[in-house]
Amino acid sequence: MSRKAVVLSGVVLLSIAALAVWSGQVPREREVLREVYSPTFGTVPQEASIATTIDELRKELGSAANQGFLERLVPDQAGVLWITVLVALAVGFDFSRGRSSRNLDLILALALGLVLFDVMRFFSIRLDPVHWRLLDAVYTVVVALNLALLVRALWRAAGAGAETPWRPNLRGRPLAAVAVLLAALNVAAALVRAPDDAGYFINLGAQRLRERGRLPYGDPLLTNTPGAAYGPVLYAAHVPFQFLIEPHSPNPVSGPNPLKEGATYFLPPLLATKLCTITFHLAGLLALFVVGRRLTSEPDVGWALVALYCGSAFVMGIGGGKESIGGMTFISHIAPAASTLVAFACLPWPAASGAMLAVSAGVGFYPAFMLPAWFAFFWRNRVHAIRFGVGFAVAATIICGSTWLLSRPADGRGRIGTILHDTFGHHTDPQGYGRSPYGFWGQREGIRGWMTTPLVGESGFSSPSYLLFFGLIGATVWLARNASASRLALLTGAIGLASSLVKIQPTGTYVSWAYPFLLIGIFAGFSSARGRSAGDGEVTARERPRAGISREGRAGAAARGR
């Protein structure tokens, strides 16, 4: 056994001993012996027939009570944390180089998941001075870890931290089996657990879209509520699933507000938002696999990226027993990341990539902030930059035009003002989410209060925190000019992290927006300064099938072919 292993073992044992001594000093009630007993057993009934048993099992499997049994098959937050650590160690951790830069990035991500453990407890207790201080400390650490990942992503994108090509610890079919099993676990979690409030409200807005033929912006039932606060594409994406489950809406065509006259309004099926989330997630996983294989010409890297993403706490969900702070129950976390991954997988086809990035902005808004960096990435080839810009402009025009046509003015605002107020305004409203204490910014004073106060008018976009965010976007534009695809992924991840950090509720917890792109940049590319390879935005028609494969990757593929 090496000296380091002996020292580490000693430290662990001393820590356990110190914990035992400390816990023994905590005052506790002493239990008193009341009786000594032996167990007793009753008489068993006669066995039922096979037919009766099968019929009873069928009824139980279809009962609502059985839902709890299915939920217990999915790991709780403690299981999620252990799975995350095991997947990171088995797939991504470099044991041959303990000081590997990739190992540090993995450790930071694992630490962020650990800090979010049981954080939902704060939502169910009264925030007295002690818990208010503790909540503030938790989110301060969350922000610090996010900033560390962000700075390291920019550092890598700038060409620092050159490392050798990466190969996962698991290889071949075992790795593929682990990735598929983790993806299946994600799907199971989405099916058996109730969607969070975002899924609930988006699903409701989609049903109103079916009934009214209009988006919820300005809807008398949903305007000024979370039901109108999300992207138009998300509402439209729910409609096909609602139609498949219920071809006819259960609610008759009603007046402006079906609740004002005391009428019964039936909610849409929750299964619709579950299936929508799963569809987005699977599309994103396919794109992640394609990107990993393309950038390295190694199928194992594609499977490894899928395993690391599906096995992360940010996808499986962590934060509480019944409710989590993110993951598969949050379509607002999963769907924007998935659609942006599809846009990234389309980089060899600039027009399609631009169109999909616009669709991603229609899903989650924040991908619009990635447009400058992505356009700078294509700018070296003017033809591709024009195609990318045209693709984005056409898709954005269709989405924005449809949103304008399918919305209505409300509360004395114009149509555009209503859309902006219901979406961006709702998430930053000082009387709504803007006052949420469950983050780094809400109801804080001093420098943090000043950072979130608009400098001009009432728009949060003029606050110092957003001005810093826009400065970061400018930095990503400069770094993206000569970036490779893997470095563009790092810049995309940095923007995703920053978008989560400027949110007031709950700050820094939308890690899934950035995590797949950080994985691409860390594991699916060469960190050495190698310039831009074929496929990184400069793809000819002949090279297109192999777009994104680096010179080193193609050389390795040719050697294997020989």
Side-chain angles (χ1 to χ4, degrees):
M1 184 180 293
S2 67
R3 180 180 299 177
K4 289 184 178 179
V6 172
V7 173
L8 181 60
S9 301
V11 170
V12 171
L13 291 175
L14 287 175
S15 300
I16 294 173
L19 181 62
V21 171
W22 176 80
S23 62
Q25 293 176 348
V26 177
R28 60 187 178 90
E29 293 185 7
R30 305 287 299 191
E31 293 186 4
V32 179
L33 177 65
R34 301 296 182 185
E35 63 176 323
V36 179
Y37 64 92
S38 296
T40 59
F41 305 96
T43 304
V44 299
Q46 293 183 352
E47 291 186 351
S49 66
I50 295 178
T52 303
T53 302
I54 293 176
D55 184 62
E56 185 64 25
L57 286 175
R58 180 183 60 81
K59 292 179 181 179
E60 287 188 6
L61 289 175
S63 66
N66 193 56
Q67 183 73 11
F69 171 75
L70 295 176
E71 288 180 2
R72 289 193 293 274
L73 290 176
V74 178
D76 59 8
Q77 63 167 341
V80 165
L81 198 60
W82 285 111
I83 290 173
T84 300
V85 173
L86 289 174
V87 171
L89 292 177
V91 176
F93 202 84
D94 188 352
F95 291 94
S96 64
R97 300 173 62 206
R99 296 183 180 180
S100 168
S101 180
R102 294 187 179 104
N103 289 349
L104 177 57
D105 293 318
L106 270 180
I107 291 172
L108 288 173
L110 292 174
L112 183 53
L114 177 61
V115 173
L116 295 176
F117 184 84
D118 217 25
V119 73
M120 290 298 293
R121 176 172 175 266
F122 291 107
F123 288 76
S124 60
I125 60 176
R126 188 175 68 87
L127 289 179
D128 55 38
V130 172
H131 287 95
W132 173 242
R133 174 59 63 89
L134 183 59
L135 174 68
D136 187 59
V138 168
Y139 274 103
T140 299
V141 176
V142 167
V143 169
L145 290 172
N146 273 281
L147 284 175
L149 287 170
L150 191 156
V151 170
R152 288 187 58 78
L154 295 177
W155 177 72
R156 284 180 174 275
E163 291 193 75
T164 57
W166 177 78
R167 300 179 72 182
N169 297 325
L170 285 179
R171 308 276 297 170
R173 292 180 180 178
L175 175 60
V178 169
V180 171
L181 181 62
L182 290 169
L185 192 59
N186 295 164
V187 172
L191 286 175
V192 304
R193 291 175 177 165
D196 76 300
D197 55 348
Y200 171 86
F201 283 115
I202 295 167
N203 203 23
L204 178 58
Q207 181 165 273
R208 293 289 286 171
L209 175 60
R210 289 181 66 192
E211 295 167 351
R212 301 170 63 244
R214 295 171 184 169
L215 288 164
Y217 314 125
D219 179 357
L221 178 63
L222 298 179
T223 190
N224 295 318
T225 74
Y230 298 94
V233 175
L234 268 185
Y235 294 110
H238 276 66
V239 172
F241 297 99
Q242 290 184 357
F243 181 81
L244 288 173
I245 298 169
E246 288 184 334
H248 302 286
S249 175
N251 300 298
V253 178
S254 56
N257 190 335
L259 298 183
K260 275 191 173 179
E261 298 178 1
T264 299
Y265 186 84
F266 296 98
L267 291 170
L270 290 178
L271 182 60
T273 195
K274 294 180 179 183
L275 295 178
C276 189
T277 305
I278 290 169
T279 301
F280 270 105
H281 184 56
L282 294 180
L285 295 184
L286 177 60
L288 185 60
F289 174 81
V290 168
V291 170
R293 185 166 184 175
R294 178 189 295 155
L295 291 181
T296 63
S297 73
E298 283 281 353
D300 287 336
V301 174
W303 287 119
L305 294 181
V306 172
L308 289 169
Y309 183 53
C310 291
S312 69
F314 317 122
V315 174
M316 289 192 292
I318 198 166
K322 288 291 185 181
E323 297 177 323
S324 61
I325 200 69
M328 290 298 297
T329 57
F330 284 72
I331 192 170
S332 57
H333 289 229
I334 297 299
S339 56
T340 310
L341 280 170
V342 174
F344 194 88
C346 291
L347 285 181
W349 302 274
S353 181
M356 276 306 306
L357 186 62
V359 171
S360 302
V363 171
F365 299 127
Y366 75 91
F369 295 120
M370 300 170 183
L371 174 63
W374 285 38
F375 189 79
F377 170 77
F378 282 106
W379 184 246
R380 190 171 181 178
N381 186 314
R382 302 296 192 272
V383 174
H384 288 170
I386 292 173
R387 290 176 181 173
F388 172 80
V390 169
F392 185 93
V394 170
T397 300
I398 294 173
I399 295 171
C400 293
S402 301
T403 302
W404 188 85
L405 289 172
L406 298 179
S407 303
R408 290 295 180 268
D411 299 329
R413 302 181 183 89
R415 196 176 305 192
I416 295 178
T418 300
I419 296 170
L420 293 176
H421 179 269
D422 279 350
T423 53
F424 297 108
H426 183 81
H427 288 286
T428 58
D429 183 3
Q431 302 305 318
Y433 283 149
R435 270 188 70 79
S436 170
Y438 301 103
F440 184 72
W441 306 106
Q443 298 192 41
R444 265 67 174 195
E445 298 178 350
I447 184 66
R448 280 186 280 179
W450 175 79
M451 289 283 290
T452 55
T453 302
L455 299 178
V456 179
E458 298 181 356
S459 174
F461 287 145
S462 67
S463 64
S465 61
Y466 265 98
L467 294 180
L468 286 174
F469 178 43
F470 296 144
L472 171 68
I473 294 174
T476 62
V477 170
W478 183 77
L479 291 172
R481 294 174 304 158
N482 296 305
S484 62
S486 60
R487 291 181 184 174
L488 179 65
L490 290 167
L491 297 175
T492 302
I495 295 171
L497 288 173
S499 300
S500 177
L501 288 175
V502 296
K503 284 183 65 68
I504 294 180
Q505 182 199 13
T507 315
T509 59
Y510 291 71
V511 190
S512 55
W513 287 357
Y515 197 55
F517 297 98
L518 297 180
L519 292 176
I520 292 171
I522 295 169
F523 296 107
F526 296 99
S527 299
S528 58
R530 58 182 175 85
R532 185 189 293 242
S533 63
D536 292 342
E538 300 186 23
V539 187
T540 65
R542 182 174 300 176
E543 293 169 327
R544 184 169 291 157
R546 304 173 68 186
I549 301 178
S550 65
R551 293 188 183 97
E552 295 92 334
R554 290 198 300 273
R560 287 189 297 274
R562 288 195 294 269

